[in-house]
Amino acid sequence: MDSAETSPLTAGVSLRELLMALGDSLVEVQAAPAGLDVEIRGVALLDPEDPSTTQPGELVLVIGARGRAAYPALRAAGRHGAAGVVVKLDGPGQAAGLSEIAAEAGVALLSLRSEARWERVNALARAALDDALPGRSGEGAAEGDLFSLAQTTAILTGGTVSIEDAANRVLAYSRSTDSDEIDDLRRRSILGWQGPEAYLAKLREWGVFQHLHSSDEVISIDSHPELGIRRRLAVAIRSGDRQLGTIWVQEGSTPLSERSDQALLGAARVAALHLVRRRRELSEGLTFTRTLLAGLLEGNTGPQPLATHLGFDAARPAAVLGFSYGTADVVAAPELTHAEVTNLVSVHIAARHRSALVTQVDPRIYVLLPQLPRSIDIDTLRGWGQEITEAARRHLGLPLRGSVGCVVSGLGDAPESRREADRILDAMLRADVPTAVAALPDIQAEVLVSEVLTLLSDRPEIRDPRLTALVAHDSRHQSRLVETLLTYLNSFGDVRAAAAQLYVHPNTLRYRIRRAEELTGLEMSRPDQRLLAMLQLRLPPPTT
């Protein structure tokens, strides 16, 4: 990953508009040397340890440094024409020094609350820029806080309101000053943040969910005193053909207003805008995490951006697991399989380690295990990998291979663990190791031989040209001299054993060995030549 992940430069928003989108509970203006009408046209995520690639007009999120440590990033942002910089303060008294640097650099300075998460400001800033695109203006103004929407809907309908997602989880509800107005169902739903299963079963029985799934119309559910349930109205929250949730209005001691249906329809449309935004923010937060994770594993960024973003302790042990299904019996897995395997890995590893992160770098899947206990051992990690490969074979029919990278002392050494995981997978695929999951001590010899073969493959000048000529002779004449010689060497010169493997007479094998020696001038009685032949003849034949 580059030192800064940059959003495309778009139609801009003013710093004033951006501050309204972020809210003063999230950021605070420390300096604005060009005023609040300066235009923000993009967002960049900056690791201050790397050279800045900031573009003019961007808002730079300095996620890897606090307080005075952000001075160089602030000056660099000014040199590159950035519009503003967001930092976290390291303690009281930091703002003055940073503000002075910002004034000199000519960039706005915003401080992010210490408890706030970077993905939140990243998602909100990008969403504000999205709203500035042609055809998108006005969306943000129609939204607002879901609790405020619930309260407004309650006023318009004369009832008490709850807003749920598609899984019947309560997202927001209106306030009520009279506890007698609330029936037992609403009370239990709010306290548990989900409708009671017995009542959900009744709604299914009455066809309520079927109606909500297929219609935009408001539905009325009669009161059921025997169940402690008062009359209700409900309407689906929809985006196109997809149901995002439901708004419920419970009638109190007085009837609902005459125009409750109309109020509910309007509320559902506003709630749809809010839930679509909510989904986009979650998606952007996930993309943000994956970007930082890929940068760390590839060694392009340090550990602090990811640690700061997710609140990890970068000083605790970490390890990387690698998985591959690019074997000879799986030539090309479809895109659906990529998602299925990643999901399977994610679910199984999350059950074992809460902080685990999963990403895919084609054709491999990597699991970063941060914040491991210091007592963790390779056997435990190997066991986790075996659970995943067994599940992949059982549920997906895929021969997944897994590797366990070394346990490193801190998050900053995660690239070392990833490299070891790759070395193991490379050897497993080249040597066709029978085990599904391995750590370096399990197949150290295979790994080293694999790397020697890679060196021979990449460096033709260090190969023996006589053996190269023998391979070419076999290809031209459709003979089996290379196969025979390699089988003989792998059998430690046991002619009968080698002949049995090739299903030929021992004399036939002896003839082929002599023929190979005549053609090449090699002497299989010499140990160095035997060793080189054993290695070089394992290289795959050249493609034509």
Side-chain angles (χ1 to χ4, degrees), residues 157-181:
T157 60
T160 53
V161 176
S162 62
I163 302 175
E164 298 180 357
D165 66 10
N168 305 118
R169 292 184 292 258
V170 178
L171 301 175
Y173 53 87
S174 62
R175 299 182 299 275
S176 177
T177 57
D178 187 353
S179 61
D180 292 336
E181 293 287 302

Side-chain angles (χ1 to χ4, degrees), residues 58-379:
E58 286 186 326
L59 179 71
V60 182
L61 311 185
V62 183
I63 60 178
R66 289 175 176 246
R68 295 177 60 86
Y71 282 9
L74 198 53
R75 293 189 177 100
R79 289 195 300 272
H80 289 90
V85 174
V86 184
V87 301
K88 282 191 176 183
L89 302 181
D90 205 20
Q94 293 282 323
L98 283 163
S99 297
E100 184 178 342
I101 299 296
E104 293 174 359
V107 297
L109 173 66
L110 309 181
S111 61
L112 183 65
R113 307 291 182 187
S114 59
E115 68 276 11
R117 296 176 70 89
W118 280 107
E119 76 269 22
R120 177 70 174 163
V121 67
N122 177 56
L124 289 176
R126 291 173 188 265
L129 288 167
D130 285 346
D131 287 341
L133 292 172
R136 294 291 299 278
S137 60
E139 278 188 10
E143 295 187 20
D145 182 79
L146 277 179
F147 280 89
S148 297
L149 176 62
Q151 192 65 28
T152 301
T153 308
I155 293 171
L156 295 174
T157 60
T160 53
V161 176
S162 62
I163 302 175
E164 298 180 357
D165 66 10
N168 305 118
R169 292 184 292 258
V170 178
L171 301 175
Y173 53 87
S174 62
R175 299 182 299 275
S176 177
T177 57
D178 187 353
S179 61
D180 292 336
E181 293 287 302
I182 302 175
D183 65 12
D184 185 56
L185 167 63
R186 176 176 167 81
R187 184 178 297 106
R188 290 170 59 193
S189 295
I190 292 174
L191 290 176
W193 288 91
Q194 188 169 26
E197 181 54 41
Y199 182 65
L200 296 178
K202 282 291 184 183
L203 294 178
R204 285 189 284 268
E205 179 184 329
W206 298 334
V208 172
F209 288 136
Q210 182 178 357
H211 174 94
L212 292 170
H213 184 70
S214 59
S215 173
D216 294 331
E217 297 178 357
V218 175
I219 185 173
S220 177
I221 302 102
D222 293 335
S223 65
H224 291 270
E226 74 282 4
L227 299 175
I229 298 171
R230 295 181 177 181
R231 176 173 175 255
R232 274 171 168 71
L233 300 180
V235 66
I237 304 169
R238 312 184 72 84
S239 175
D241 295 331
R242 176 177 295 182
Q243 183 181 354
L244 304 179
T246 309
I247 301 180
W248 302 85
V249 178
Q250 178 226 297
E251 191 174 69
S253 57
T254 58
L256 297 174
S257 67
E258 293 182 2
R259 305 189 69 176
S260 291
D261 285 20
Q262 183 178 345
L264 265 186
L265 287 172
R269 288 164 186 164
V270 174
L273 294 174
H274 202 290
L275 294 184
V276 167
R277 170 67 59 79
R278 177 188 177 98
R279 289 188 174 201
R280 185 168 67 227
E281 289 176 7
L282 290 173
S283 175
E284 289 175 348
L286 183 59
T287 300
F288 182 45
T289 299
R290 287 176 175 169
T291 300
L292 294 178
L293 175 58
L296 173 63
L297 293 182
E298 292 169 6
N300 295 329
T301 60
Q304 204 54 52
L306 184 65
T308 302
H309 170 53
L310 296 176
F312 289 162
D313 182 353
R316 288 179 56 183
V320 174
L321 307 182
F323 296 93
S324 174
Y325 50 98
T327 53
D329 46 350
V330 181
V331 178
E335 194 62 35
L336 178 61
T337 302
H338 288 298
E340 287 177 333
V341 176
T342 301
N343 288 340
L344 182 144
V345 172
S346 299
V347 169
H348 276 267
I349 201 63
R352 291 296 186 182
H353 190 61
R354 184 184 302 273
S355 302
L357 297 174
V358 180
T359 191
Q360 181 172 341
V361 181
D362 287 334
R364 292 178 178 175
I365 295 169
Y366 297 97
V367 177
L368 174 65
L369 299 169
Q371 305 190 122
L372 288 171
R374 300 193 184 280
S375 59
I376 198 76
D377 56 40
I378 290 294
D379 289 339

Side-chain angles (χ1 to χ4, degrees), residues 348 387 389-398:
H348 276 267
E387 291 175 3
T389 57
E390 289 167 5
R393 185 174 294 278
R394 185 168 59 251
H395 297 296
L396 303 179
L398 283 177

